Amino acid sequence: MTSGEQLHARPLATRIVDHAAIARNIERLRPSSGAGIMVVVKADGFGHGMLDVARTAVAIGAEWLGVATVDEALALRAAGIDAPVLCWLADPWTRLTDAVAATVTISCANIETLRAVADAARITGSTAQVHLELDTGMARGGAERARWAELCAAAAHLEAVEVTGIWSHLALAADPDPLSTTAQREAFEHGVALARKSGLTPRVLHLANSAAALDHEQTWFDLVRCGAGVYGIETVSDRVHGLEPTMRVVSRATQVRRVAAGSGVSYNHAYVTERETTLVLVPVGYGDGVPRGLSHGGQVVIDGVRHPIVGAISMDQLVVDVGNAPVRLGAEVVLLGSPRAGEPDAQEWADVTGTIAHEILTGLGGRMAREHINQVGTASS
Ligand SMILES: *Cc1c(COP(=O)(O)O)cnc(C)c1O
């Protein structure tokens, strides 16, 4: 044993990212019309590892990668990923010169950002590729409809800028009632027509997110932008589209103890044992993104059996009441897994804690390790 080498060391908790599942989800989201797919890898790939997911997406033929920030886009380029990348949270104070030099496509929703991008293009001696964003009814990002013509006209006059795409974002794509989505699509088409009248010649029109990629064919245009679905989140309803969970979170029984009836567990004794029972200590907590809200109603799987999380979840640890189950020290504790195997998934955590699975997945981390399995098309293969 060399210095620093440990006999049995392994991480207390690990997020296991399944790239085969990610690849299958991307294939399920891919429009049958021949439109392309942009795999959204923002927020560290919804917690799965931005670069790893991006490599898988590119390896299986995703046409585009999508990120929120300029820094995320530049991190993709720094890792040698040269697929088309769109970032949609640029403003005049972001690293626009670096972004243009790195051939990142930049979304613009106002004239100030557009001009800053043009300045960056002049500095780099190149032409900036821009996608203009129109607000078609979400009132989040995007140019207001009243200012769209002005933005298009400015873009048409700026020589250092080439508008290669126009896009918008849907507010209610997961709503079974397609009325709002139809209205947004019509506003989008109207905006595109106006842009063409200004002399712009966008080649890539895009509107759909995952929910729309699955359920609203009339929103597909040239490209669909998919995040949630890639990571197995089905916003529409109960896994009717066959998307698979892509992340498994496991830890282990770090302490197993027998306690008497009437034992108050964890801070504030929010849980008191009703009978003599076995308590298992699991070394993860809200500091690792396991929501404190799982203290009431959260469950884990040990040796194939579900057991309740009991007492207040701490920053670093939580307690599971396993009754009389013969759990061994070191036994694997499945926090997130496959619902098909009876294990909780991010949606179940979200339901228990009153949020959405997106927030659960992006919140996981802290001290958890990450392991990638079934990777495709890596440099070594
Ligand atoms: C996050 C995001 C997406 C991905 O949406 P999903 O519903 O996760 O598929 C697409 N477009 C934009 C602008 C986004 O911010």
Side-chain angles (χ1 to χ4, degrees), residues 279-290:
L279 298 180
V280 169
L281 185 69
V282 184
V284 291
Y286 60 80
D288 307 292
V290 179

Side-chain angles (χ1 to χ4, degrees), residues 40 42 46 88 140 167 169 209-211 225-229 358:
V40 176
K42 64 187 180 185
F46 283 51
W88 48 77
R140 188 181 69 170
W167 71 284
H169 197 51
N209 58 3
S210 296
R225 302 184 308 271
C226 295
H358 314 55

Side-chain angles (χ1 to χ4, degrees), residues 97-346:
T97 310
D98 291 343
V100 173
T103 67
V104 169
T105 301
I106 302 165
S107 172
C108 291
N110 55 56
I111 288 181
E112 293 84 347
T113 303
L114 187 68
R115 292 214 175 103
V117 170
D119 289 344
R122 282 190 282 268
I123 289 168
T124 54
S126 59
T127 306
Q129 312 257 306
V130 163
H131 285 193
L132 297 182
E133 183 190 4
L134 171 65
D135 176 19
T136 55
M138 185 159 173
R140 188 181 69 170
E144 312 90 291
R145 270 178 262 189
R147 306 196 62 184
W148 180 244
E150 187 190 357
L151 180 66
C152 290
H157 281 102
L158 285 167
E159 275 189 7
V161 164
E162 186 192 359
V163 175
T164 52
I166 293 178
W167 71 284
S168 186
H169 197 51
L170 294 169
L172 288 136
D175 197 321
D177 179 1
L179 217 66
S180 158
T181 295
T182 301
Q184 283 200 258
R185 190 202 73 219
E186 285 166 6
F188 184 63
E189 284 173 339
H190 184 74
V192 170
L194 238 153
R196 291 216 162 100
K197 262 188 215 147
S198 310
L200 298 177
T201 52
R203 299 187 294 271
V204 193
L205 307 179
H206 48 109
L207 177 62
N209 58 3
S210 296
L214 292 169
D215 279 342
H216 297 292
E217 183 164 357
Q218 76 280 11
T219 65
W220 290 350
F221 295 95
D222 302 307
L223 191 64
V224 297
R225 302 184 308 271
C226 295
V230 171
Y231 309 100
I233 300 170
E234 286 213 5
T235 39
V236 179
S237 57
D238 242 11
R239 301 211 166 274
V240 292
H241 293 291
L243 300 177
E244 302 167 47
T246 51
M247 187 193 289
R248 192 172 175 78
V249 178
V250 296
S251 184
R252 61 174 173 262
T254 239
Q255 195 183 330
V256 180
R257 54 211 295 256
R258 202 68 187 157
V259 298
S263 301
V265 178
S266 190
Y267 288 121
N268 309 320
H269 286 180
Y271 177 80
V272 179
T273 58
E274 280 175 8
R275 47 178 164 52
E276 187 186 332
T277 191
T278 299
L279 298 180
V280 169
L281 185 69
V282 184
V284 291
Y286 60 80
D288 307 292
V290 179
R292 209 164 163 276
L294 289 178
S295 301
H296 306 283
Q299 295 184 334
V300 302
V301 171
I302 307 174
D303 300 327
V305 180
R306 275 184 179 248
H307 300 285
I309 297 170
V310 295
I313 293 177
S314 309
M315 191 179 292
D316 328 298
Q317 37 195 309
L318 58 82
V319 177
V320 177
D321 186 340
V322 300
N324 294 322
V327 173
R328 293 154 294 107
L329 185 73
E332 184 184 71
V333 175
V334 179
L335 292 140
L336 288 184
S338 165
R340 262 189 238 159
E343 295 160 341
D345 65 353

